[in-house]
Amino acid sequence: MSEAFNADRVTRLCDFLHQSPTPWHATRCMAERLEQAGFVRLEETASWQLKPGKRYYVTRNDSSVIAFQLPAEKLTSLRMLGAHTDSPGLRLKPNATQYAAGWLQLGVQVYGGVLLAPWFDRDLGLAGRVHVRHADGHLESVLLNIDRPIAMVPSLAIHLDRDVNAGRVINPQTQMSPVVMQSDSAQLSDLLADWLEEQHGLRAVEVVDFELGFYDVQPPSLVGLRQELVASARLDNLLSCFVGLEAMLACDASQGALLVANDHEEVGSASACGAQGPFLGDVLKRLNAQVGGATEESLIQLIQSSLMISCDNAHALHPNFQDKHDERHGPAINGGPVIKVNANQRYATNSVTGALFRDVCREADVPVQSFVTRSDMGCGSTIGPITATEVGVPTIDVGLPQWAMHSVRETAGTRDVDYLTQALTVFLNRSELR
């Protein structure tokens, strides 16, 4: 069988997805690859001493990251890529311990627009970050990843709900709490103590707070007789994070380039590390102050001379639900990146930015598609319009086509990974953006 996709790249994608059950893990994985490629870590609380021709990265909340490379000369424009690190899921409540029918369960909150039904009967692990207080009083934040099946949300047998296949409303408060162990006395605090010792060797520490969520431990896989498909949790939107990072590491270092991966897109982006927050704006101000024109006017000139490609997955034409698409705007999996258009500005694309991306795809010899939601259906959104609004940078929304968006397991095309990587690399290498 002839190889129809870059196997090494898809293997890296699957490794990244497997190692990134939460935004904090994803950010750590991206930071490690950036450092391996020579990017220097910056701290927001420190003074920056930026040098032309060098490459840097900075994180915020340990769940959002911005990486950038500076040209050898004065910075006058940036080729920007945007994505987000978070995915819909089930997050633990602060007081999560609860019991029912002799079982320890953990209460959950729904994070983002979760497709709930696929979460039933899955092997669930638990991951996130935990803040502990040591005996001497100092606080420490550590990542936790219990990457084995420790929980499940069991379905109700059809014998007890004969109408379930006619469509049943799922109550996330009463029907989505995973069972963890057969006990009417075990406590989450004791489990956390065991896991912290197991993974970090921490003993005699007090758990002060945590942000933890369940996830499906089934690893990513290649599906189809010719491995046309990649199936995994969190393709929305770690696929775009991965492709943006691949392009950033593959481009030449002569142009000003920037990659931002924000947290909290799935819940509206309204946070200090979300796209509606000041993270990107803060970085741009510091870049302009040190390697740009160092005036308020030059900052505006820098932003207006730049371009942002916001990457977030698009809805691929579903073979069993073709009527859910506009008949002329149903993107095909493995048909190339998708330009996302909405007249009501749910996407930031306009004819100027759309024409430029089409020209980029022509230069990269990559097919390109268009997506418009049916006029009788609502349209989602992403960081593109928010970034354009908050920062003012000309923006286009694109993405790779996928099935089952917001499911516990999503599906995209293996060839599309190469298509978008090639297009974004050409974009980052362009000497002119207009």
Side-chain angles (χ1 to χ4, degrees):
M1 182 183 68
S2 61
E3 190 173 78
F5 56 90
N6 185 322
D8 289 341
R9 176 170 289 139
V10 171
T11 297
R12 289 196 298 274
L13 169 63
C14 290
D15 289 343
F16 173 59
L17 293 166
H18 186 61
Q19 296 168 17
S20 304
T22 73
W24 303 283
H25 289 84
T27 298
R28 182 179 67 178
C29 288
M30 295 177 72
E32 289 173 352
R33 285 200 67 190
L34 289 166
E35 290 190 1
Q36 291 168 4
F39 282 71
V40 176
R41 183 182 181 98
L42 299 170
E43 299 295 338
E44 288 198 280
T45 55
S47 296
W48 290 5
Q49 302 298 323
L50 304 179
K51 298 180 180 180
K54 299 297 183 181
R55 300 189 291 180
Y56 304 90
Y57 80 96
V58 60
T59 67
R60 179 173 286 189
N61 189 49
D62 295 326
S63 63
S64 297
V65 59
I66 294 177
F68 55 90
Q69 65 182 30
L70 302 175
E73 306 297 331
K74 178 181 175 181
L75 179 65
T76 58
S77 66
L78 281 166
R79 293 127 195 86
M80 301 187 197
L81 306 177
H84 65 87
T85 58
D86 62 320
S87 301
L90 304 179
R91 299 280 182 94
L92 287 195
K93 294 179 178 178
N95 300 316
T97 301
Q98 60 189 55
Y99 309 97
W103 287 89
L104 168 67
Q105 295 179 284
L106 296 179
V108 294
Q109 302 179 79
V110 174
Y111 178 89
V114 181
L115 192 60
L116 290 175
W119 280 82
F120 286 89
D121 307 316
R122 295 279 181 168
D123 295 345
L124 301 180
L126 187 71
R129 65 176 176 179
V130 180
H131 302 270
V132 300
R133 180 183 291 114
H134 290 263
D136 63 3
H138 83 273
L139 297 175
E140 181 184 9
S141 174
V142 297
L143 295 187
L144 197 66
N145 183 12
I146 313 305
D147 58 353
R148 59 185 183 271
I150 63 165
M152 177 180 287
V153 184
S155 291
L156 181 65
I158 193 170
H159 312 76
L160 304 178
D161 187 1
R162 293 290 185 178
D163 297 326
V164 64
N165 288 328
R168 173 170 58 86
V169 175
I170 299 171
N171 187 318
Q173 173 68 20
T174 62
Q175 298 172 342
M176 291 302 299
S177 298
V179 295
V180 177
M181 67 184 296
Q182 201 162 15
S183 172
D184 56 8
S185 60
Q187 296 287 322
L188 174 60
S189 57
D190 296 329
L191 298 177
L192 288 175
D194 291 342
W195 293 331
L196 289 168
E197 181 174 356
E198 171 191 319
Q199 296 202 354
H200 297 283
L202 294 173
R203 301 177 181 87
V205 293
E206 176 190 356
V207 174
V208 180
D209 212 337
F210 58 78
E211 292 172 273
L212 295 168
F214 287 104
Y215 72 98
D216 183 6
V217 299
Q218 181 181 0
S221 61
L222 302 186
V223 179
L225 289 178
R226 298 193 174 109
Q227 297 186 321
E228 300 98 330
L229 302 171
V230 55
S232 175
R234 302 175 298 282
L235 287 176
D236 175 21
N237 189 34
L238 293 187
L239 176 54
S240 297
C241 292
F242 172 82
V243 170
L245 184 59
E246 287 276 300
M248 191 78 175
L249 298 181
C251 73
D252 67 54
S254 63
Q255 308 293 339
L258 182 146
L259 168 66
V260 54
N262 290 112
D263 195 1
H264 297 144
E265 188 276 342
E266 298 292 359
V267 292
S269 296
S271 70
C273 58
Q276 194 175 340
F279 187 26
L280 178 57
D282 288 347
V283 170
L284 294 178
K285 290 174 185 176
R286 296 176 89 159
L287 295 187
N288 178 65
Q290 292 206 21
V291 293
T295 66
E296 184 175 349
E297 182 175 4
S298 66
L299 175 62
I300 296 173
Q301 291 173 334
L302 170 63
I303 291 171
Q304 293 307 311
S305 299
S306 301
L307 182 73
M308 162 74 79
I309 297 182
S310 166
C311 300
D312 200 353
N313 296 353
H315 299 293
L317 181 64
H318 196 300
N320 297 336
F321 299 93
Q322 296 186 57
D323 61 326
K324 294 298 183 180
H325 281 78
D326 183 281
E327 63 181 9
R328 302 192 66 183
H329 300 92
I333 282 182
N334 289 319
V338 179
I339 297 175
K340 301 158 74 172
V341 178
N342 182 263
N344 295 303
Q345 294 300 297
R346 299 293 290 168
Y347 302 128
T349 305
N350 59 34
S351 59
V352 174
T353 56
L356 188 142
F357 187 73
R358 291 182 187 279
D359 197 51
V360 165
C361 290
R362 176 199 58 79
E363 185 178 342
D365 194 24
V366 164
V368 62
Q369 309 179 79
S370 297
F371 172 76
V372 178
T373 304
R374 283 177 57 106
S375 297
D376 54 2
M377 294 176 64
C379 180
S381 191
T382 184
I383 68 167
I386 297 172
T387 302
T389 300
E390 295 296 325
V391 178
V393 61
T395 302
I396 180 172
D397 273 300
V398 308
L400 291 181
Q402 71 159 91
W403 293 325
M405 189 175 291
H406 290 196
S407 175
V408 72
R409 194 166 181 85
E410 303 167 322
T411 309
T414 49
R415 292 197 298 274
D416 282 332
V417 180
D418 292 329
Y419 287 148
L420 185 55
T421 303
Q422 292 163 15
L424 296 183
T425 304
V426 166
F427 167 69
L428 295 179
N429 285 337
R430 279 204 159 190
S431 59
E432 299 293 334
L433 291 179
R434 299 291 188 271

